[in-house]
Amino acid sequence: MSDTPFGFGLPPEEPDNGDEGKKKGNEGGQGGPNPFGFPGFPGAGLPSGAGGPGGADNPFAAMFGAMNPNDLGAAFQQLGQMLSYEGGPVNWDMAKDIARRTVAQGTADGVKDTSVGIAERSAVEEAVRLADHWLDGVTSLPSGSTTAVAWSRAEWVEATQPVWKELVDPVAERVGSAMGNVLPEEMQAMAGPLLGMMRSMGGAMFGQQIGQAVGTLAGEVVGSSDIGLPLGPAGKAALLPLNIESFGKDLGVPSDEVRLYLALREAAHQRLFAHVPWLRSHLFGAVEGYARGITVDTSKLEDVVGQLDPTNPEQLQEALQGGMFQPQDTPEQKAALARLETALALVEGWVDAVVHEAAKPRLSSADAMRETMRRRRASGGPAEQTFATLIGLELRPRRLRDASRLWASLTDARGMDGRDALWEHPDMLPTASDLDDPDGFVHREQLDFSEIDKMLGEAAEQHGKDRKGGTEGDDEGEEKK
């Protein structure tokens, strides 16, 4: 689990070697204190004292101190957007704008986004069609793709924003509420205007960080399911030809095989989310559970608040800017993240197992591609890093490998129908402890919910008959009267 969800937490490390370290620190976008601790805040990387009085300790001096005068108008416009924002916990218009600008700048290797051509769209459609045909033989879940689409990076940003909003808003809302409610009531009254300004700027700063993260991720993802969640519209199997080309250029694998292997993964995810109706709400519910557990450690406030003078707004502002509010992990958060982590590992493990079963007899590069994807996860790929930034979760690669082995063992023991039947109900899925002992789970007597469902159905039917009979009896009694 990330220690710094949404940019809160420890300050950047001290540079090891003078000027070089300072350069690196500035490039990372994190420097001296700012009122929220978010990276990406303009000028946040300036050293203390730079840019005029107050330096990085003053967010406005940090914003404008080292700025080219020609950019001053744009900076004031951005500041106006921050202070005038009155929407939800995240300024999503700003997030999308920053993500699009990040995409337009191109990736670190100089590759710029381009529109998808007709030939590329046809190649993606053919790859997904063939992938679905191969998957028909290795899973009982039918195709979940009604269409296959090829996206540019900008199209990926646009198409996935509704899901990012659903994922991030609960966490951002809870952080904002915790920050606003931590002060005593009499001090909240004094700090009202300041807290209102903080909420407006907080929404913009969340938007900045998320926009930057999503824009960077758009330069690296290969489809709509890289983080194990359904980021795109339902039924659309989506691939990004430009990123697939970059992904496969140093693998020594024919481009057609790379595209087809990634199409297998995308199509497998589509099948799972299309035909396991409870899975999406289960995963997103765990994110909301994490958000509900966010609290502020009030023990850190005791000394500070005890020394504050409610009649001195400047002292209160200094305390607010001094980082006295820090989100803390709670047992509820840890439990929710554990549920989410296990569920995501099971999703990714299932996809890994069925895709390998489909690809192994047909693609000479199947083993190499599988290991490449696993190493991408193990090295902290872009999906894991972005997810950790947005909600404080890092996937554990060890769990993904364990889950894949468990699903493969289930296939050997119960066949693909018995394996896929476990997705019928969340209580039938393996738990985190089952990933530690896959053999014990595989050979355990399989739970059968069909009899329970039958009994519940019969009880509901009888209840309906009883109610109908009672109503008719009451009507007859009224007529006799």
Side-chain angles (χ1 to χ4, degrees), residues 346-363:
L346 291 173
V347 168
E348 289 296 279
W350 183 88
V351 168
D352 180 81
V354 299
V355 165
H356 187 69
E357 189 177 352
K360 178 69 174 175
R362 300 176 173 95
L363 298 179

Side-chain angles (χ1 to χ4, degrees), residues 171-461:
V171 182
E173 177 69 40
R174 187 69 186 103
V175 169
S177 297
M179 294 281 286
N181 296 333
V182 71
L183 290 176
E185 291 185 8
E186 63 273 12
M187 298 193 67
Q188 286 189 31
M190 293 294 299
L194 178 59
L195 292 176
M197 183 183 73
M198 287 179 64
R199 281 191 289 269
S200 297
M201 295 186 70
M205 290 181 180
F206 273 112
Q208 281 186 323
Q209 184 181 12
I210 294 164
Q212 182 68 38
V214 171
T216 302
L217 184 59
E220 301 175 1
V221 294
V222 295
S224 72
S225 56
D226 280 31
I227 67 171
L229 290 173
L231 293 180
K236 281 192 176 182
L239 295 175
L240 283 72
L242 180 61
N243 291 355
I244 290 176
E245 180 182 353
S246 297
F247 173 80
K249 68 179 180 180
D250 296 325
L251 297 181
V253 176
S255 58
D256 288 348
E257 287 197 18
V258 174
R259 184 190 307 112
L260 185 50
Y261 188 87
L262 297 176
L264 280 166
R265 290 183 54 84
E266 178 73 11
H269 278 101
Q270 292 292 332
R271 288 183 181 230
L272 198 56
F273 284 105
H275 299 291
V276 183
W278 55 265
L279 182 57
R280 189 182 192 278
S281 60
H282 180 74
L283 293 170
F284 283 62
V287 176
E288 293 179 2
Y290 167 82
R292 287 193 299 271
I294 292 176
T295 61
V296 174
D297 185 1
T298 56
S299 64
K300 294 182 179 180
L301 301 180
E302 292 179 357
D303 294 337
V304 177
V305 173
Q307 299 173 12
L308 287 180
D309 179 3
T311 64
N312 186 350
E314 292 183 0
Q315 187 183 17
L316 177 59
Q317 181 175 356
E318 291 174 1
L320 290 171
Q321 293 179 356
M324 69 180 189
F325 300 141
Q326 295 292 329
Q328 301 293 318
D329 286 340
T330 65
E332 292 80 8
Q333 278 180 292
K334 292 177 180 178
L337 287 178
R339 290 194 301 271
L340 180 58
E341 184 180 61
T342 299
L344 286 173
L346 291 173
V347 168
E348 289 296 279
W350 183 88
V351 168
D352 180 81
V354 299
V355 165
H356 187 69
E357 189 177 352
K360 178 69 174 175
R362 300 176 173 95
L363 298 179
S364 59
S365 61
D367 289 331
M369 289 296 300
R370 184 188 204 186
E371 188 58 30
T372 297
M373 295 303 296
R374 286 181 166 184
R375 288 183 179 180
R376 193 177 189 228
R377 294 283 194 178
S379 62
E384 288 81 4
Q385 293 171 1
T386 297
F387 211 52
T389 300
L390 296 183
I391 72 165
L393 171 71
E394 289 180 353
L395 301 181
R396 289 179 294 174
R398 181 179 63 85
R399 298 283 83 182
L400 300 181
R401 290 179 180 268
D402 291 344
S404 180
R405 284 195 292 268
L406 187 147
W407 289 118
S409 297
L410 283 169
T411 306
D412 294 338
R414 304 181 185 179
M416 71 178 188
D417 290 337
R419 176 200 65 203
D420 295 343
L422 293 179
W423 290 106
E424 292 178 1
H425 194 282
D427 290 343
M428 299 175 67
L429 285 180
T431 64
S433 60
D434 291 325
L435 295 181
D436 295 326
D437 182 22
D439 290 338
F441 179 84
V442 168
H443 299 294
R444 187 184 309 156
E445 184 177 356
Q446 186 173 353
L447 296 174
D448 185 359
F449 285 83
S450 60
E451 288 300 320
I452 298 177
D453 291 339
K454 181 180 178 181
M455 292 172 60
L456 291 174
E458 291 175 349
E461 183 179 355

